[in-house]
Amino acid sequence: MLITLLLLGAGGCEDKNAAKPVSETRLLLDTFCSITIYAPQDEELLSDAFGLCEELEALFSISAEGSDVWNINHAHGEPVAVSPQTAELIRAGVEYGEMSGGMFDISIGRLSTLWDFTGMSGVPAEADIAAARETVDYRKINIAGNVVQMGNADAWIDLGGIAKGYIADCIAEMLRGRGATSAIIDLGGNIVTIGKKADGSLWKIGVTDPFGERTDLIGIIETGEASVVSAGTYERRFVVDGTAYHHILDPGTGMPVRSGVAGVTIVSESSMDGDALSTTLLLLGSGDAAAVVERAAGIEGAVLVTDGGEIHRFGDLVFTAIGG
């Protein structure tokens, strides 16, 4: 899932004698990933964090030959031994399928790979969408220990809806375990903050306006240690004959969902939960948002923007709308 959040500067006076943070940006997970460690300033820890990101991406990639997901998808229904991390992530994906009533479904791989959101290939043929749709059913994913078997031999797994969040959580856990007390992980917009800013104040995270330019904001979230994740119809999209096609697919129709929601931002303890829940709310629409947020554990709150530009807030979070 590609999303856009902007991390805002602290503003005010800074301690010019304070040590500068260590920070780096790399192209991983099909996006720009940045990690900044304010305390302690540890170059080796920063390098190890990116190493963990690369290691997990190599397991979860749907397109990299030899990854755990690739091996499952090309086993034609035979059992495949995978890493403990992959098994854990697939189990979580199945649980999100149950929670969402099947709207969030990691067995959507045949559908998701049909669509080329650069727009170069246009809209897939109806017959191809219908055939791929028949393979989608998370309930036919069988997991025993670290062995995964697809009950439908033609089905493919796609972990793109939760992998980035899982990886962000793993990096955060490693950083905390090795003494990081103030840091930011930004995996293409999946943001996890550790501790508070170097001056002890809350982080300020700007939420992108789904209808504006990439740097336009609808508001600002203030938070301490948390995850902030969004899903939106404004990224990875193309237009054909005046109709926009975005990357959030309805597993029931095989087409980009038309739920009346343009963007969702989730503030939560777990980035993986935020990943799955942001997509789920965009699929379900605003009518179910309050009930879903209330039921979900570890969720601080949500901001939802409708196609009409209305902003809805759920839960307990500090959010200031820009211009109103």
Side-chain angles (χ1 to χ4, degrees):
M1 171 193 320
L2 179 62
I3 61 95
T4 304
L5 295 176
L6 300 178
L7 184 69
L8 305 182
C13 298
E14 296 181 357
D15 183 356
K16 299 185 183 300
N17 296 318
K20 291 184 178 180
V22 293
S23 184
E24 187 175 346
T25 299
R26 297 186 189 180
L27 183 59
L28 295 167
L29 304 170
D30 295 324
T31 188
F32 289 102
C33 298
S34 300
I35 301 174
T36 303
I37 304 174
Y38 291 89
Q41 292 80 34
D42 188 333
E43 292 281 358
E44 182 179 357
L45 180 55
L46 181 66
S47 178
D48 289 348
F50 277 110
L52 177 58
C53 183
E54 292 173 350
E55 176 187 331
L56 294 174
E57 180 181 19
L59 295 176
F60 306 150
S61 171
I62 191 174
S63 59
E65 186 171 354
S67 74
D68 279 350
V69 171
W70 171 280
N71 291 339
I72 293 168
N73 291 346
H74 292 80
H76 306 292
E78 294 298 316
V80 176
V82 299
S83 70
Q85 296 96 326
T86 303
E88 179 182 17
L89 187 53
I90 292 174
R91 283 192 181 90
V94 171
E95 291 175 2
Y96 293 130
E98 291 285 348
M99 180 196 73
S100 66
M103 288 299 286
F104 185 96
D105 196 319
I106 61 171
S107 68
I108 203 171
R110 287 288 187 184
L111 270 176
S112 63
T113 54
L114 270 183
W115 288 86
D116 172 14
F117 290 100
T118 66
M120 297 296 291
S121 303
V123 180
E126 289 184 13
D128 292 338
I129 291 175
R133 197 175 67 236
E134 291 299 316
T135 68
V136 180
D137 189 347
Y138 71 92
R139 294 168 297 183
K140 294 182 180 179
I141 301 173
N142 303 307
I143 313 171
N146 293 335
V147 175
V148 179
Q149 185 173 20
M150 303 303 290
N152 183 331
D154 294 325
W156 279 13
I157 284 175
D158 184 348
L159 298 175
I162 52 173
K164 198 186 295 185
Y166 179 89
I167 292 171
D169 286 336
C170 288
I171 293 172
E173 183 180 5
M174 187 194 78
L175 293 182
R176 294 186 192 103
R178 289 178 53 180
T181 57
S182 180
I184 305 163
I185 302 156
D186 181 353
L187 304 187
N190 275 56
I191 292 176
V192 175
T193 57
I194 295 175
K196 296 182 180 179
K197 293 180 185 177
D199 63 3
S201 62
L202 296 175
W203 307 100
K204 294 183 178 180
I205 300 174
V207 182
T208 298
D209 182 349
F211 311 107
E213 299 297 323
R214 192 177 184 88
T215 55
D216 292 342
L217 304 177
I218 62 164
I220 298 169
I221 290 172
E222 294 185 60
T223 185
E225 185 161 294
S227 163
V228 183
V229 181
S230 294
T233 63
Y234 51 91
E235 296 277 13
R236 292 181 59 199
R237 66 200 300 268
F238 63 92
V239 179
V240 174
D241 297 330
T243 300
Y245 298 88
H246 60 81
H247 74 291
I248 307 293
L249 300 178
D250 183 332
T253 66
M255 299 290 291
V257 68
R258 309 293 181 192
S259 67
V261 175
V264 178
T265 297
I266 301 292
V267 181
S268 59
E269 295 176 5
S270 160
S271 188
M272 182 174 65
D273 287 343
D275 233 354
L277 191 58
S278 60
T279 301
T280 297
L281 290 186
L282 198 145
L283 286 163
L284 291 174
S286 59
D288 295 314
V292 172
V293 170
E294 186 175 334
R295 289 198 308 267
I299 304 300
E300 183 176 335
V303 177
L304 183 149
V305 185
T306 69
D307 287 345
E310 296 177 345
I311 300 175
H312 300 275
R313 312 173 201 186
F314 306 96
D316 183 20
L317 77 167
V318 180
F319 173 79
T320 303
I322 292 178

